[in-house]
Amino acid sequence: MATPPLTIGVEEEFLLLDPGTGQNVPVADAVRAALPPEVSARSHAEFRHSMIEMVTPVCGDLPGLAHELTTARRAAAAAAEATGAMLVPIGATPVGEPKLGVTDNPRYRAIADYYGPIVDDPAVCGVHVHVGVPDRETAVRVGNHLRVWLPVIQAMTVNSPFHAGTDTGHASWRAMQLDRWPALGPAPWFASAADFDRTVALLVGSGMMLDEKLVLWHARPSATYPTIEVRVADVPLTVDDTVLLTALVRGLVATALDDLADGRDAPRVPGLAVEAAHWNAAHAGLDGTLTDLRENRPRPAWELVGDLVTTVRPALERHGDLPYTTDQLDRLRAEGTGARRQREAVRRAGSLPAALGRLARAMSA
């Protein structure tokens, strides 16, 4: 019998910005209240008053996922417009955030009290891809296999070059900003779920981590769903960008499951090397070299993208995702990453606020 497709689901975070100035506006509650009831149930309040998260149901294929993402984005964009704001799919606050307090959530207030001024960094927005796996033990072991490839995924999805109204020189300022937080980078290599739990307990006991729920590594067993959750990417500009990301992540998870079934363990790449690869990916995106963690050397970025696709090709074929993925990779190569497209939008519009308005309109078209 054919293996059933691995289930997928996505959480996308968006910024709410002033159409004139590009500054963050604290209208998340009003936007959620303006959503149609059938969509509102799939929206979440986030850490900042200028953010909203939209969540898809569990999906089995890419067309279904694309439909759910499009429906949620259009509804959220219309609700934002009704409040006088615009919904913008970018990874970091581009101009400024006048209201820095966290939303009225006891959990968020506890985090703010514990970590102090780190919490005063402006809002950042990511996308979290969930792929169904049999159990938590499997999720941990799959995460080991993802470590060498997630810098490539990050480089493909960089979408936050601007901060405080200027170009930072980094393709993902969100990644640079999040480096200040504990347990929010690449996951270590774990021998088992028990090893994972011992490490988390050590971090909590040291005081570095507030509690065991604050595990925010790039890949982790979901605390809520029977999935592995990959959370390395900036929120993408378009639905196609998000669906391409999901196809590749599902391909990597399926490939890791095949490796585990065949008794192939993941390489134990040193943590510092993985961190360096992610820093490089966040800085350069696809415009330069990336670190090949299998060979411990820099290589042209698109060569590594090609290796990634070759690695997951059997899984893409099995899920029926190969034609779409091939087409979207061609588009990505022609258009560039979200960071490159943002910079080009600013060049054409003549100012950052004007470019942000164009990006908002393009997203909901």
Side-chain angles (χ1 to χ4, degrees), residues 11 43 50 119 123 153 169 209 230 256 260 269 284 299 307 356 358:
E11 303 164 347
S43 71
S50 60
V119 178
I153 293 292
M209 191 182 290
V230 174
L260 291 171
V269 181
R299 293 178 58 203
D307 284 2
L356 294 169
R358 291 187 181 186

Side-chain angles (χ1 to χ4, degrees), residues 118-184:
I118 293 176
V119 178
D120 292 338
D121 285 346
V124 294
C125 293
V127 58
H128 307 157
V129 177
H130 291 260
V131 181
V133 291
D135 50 53
R136 191 165 178 272
E137 185 74 36
T138 302
V140 170
R141 297 183 67 197
V142 166
N144 291 339
H145 284 262
L146 300 186
R147 294 174 78 230
V148 299
W149 292 114
L150 288 186
V152 184
I153 293 292
Q154 183 173 30
M156 298 173 72
T157 55
V158 288
N159 187 33
S160 53
F162 295 101
H163 170 71
T166 61
D167 192 325
T168 64
H170 298 281
S172 175
W173 183 250
R174 168 182 168 270
M176 302 299 168
Q177 197 169 307
L178 290 178
D179 272 349
R180 284 155 57 89
W181 287 86
L184 213 156

Side-chain angles (χ1 to χ4, degrees), residues 35-57:
L35 288 169
E38 66 275 14
V39 180
S40 178
R42 295 196 279 112
S43 71
H44 293 162
E46 262 298 332
F47 200 69
R48 291 276 184 229
H49 296 275
S50 60
M51 297 172 62
I52 185 171
E53 182 180 65
M54 305 301 295
V55 180
T56 73

Side-chain angles (χ1 to χ4, degrees), residues 5 65 152 189 284 309 333:
L65 177 67
V152 184
W189 193 99
V309 175
R333 187 155 200 168

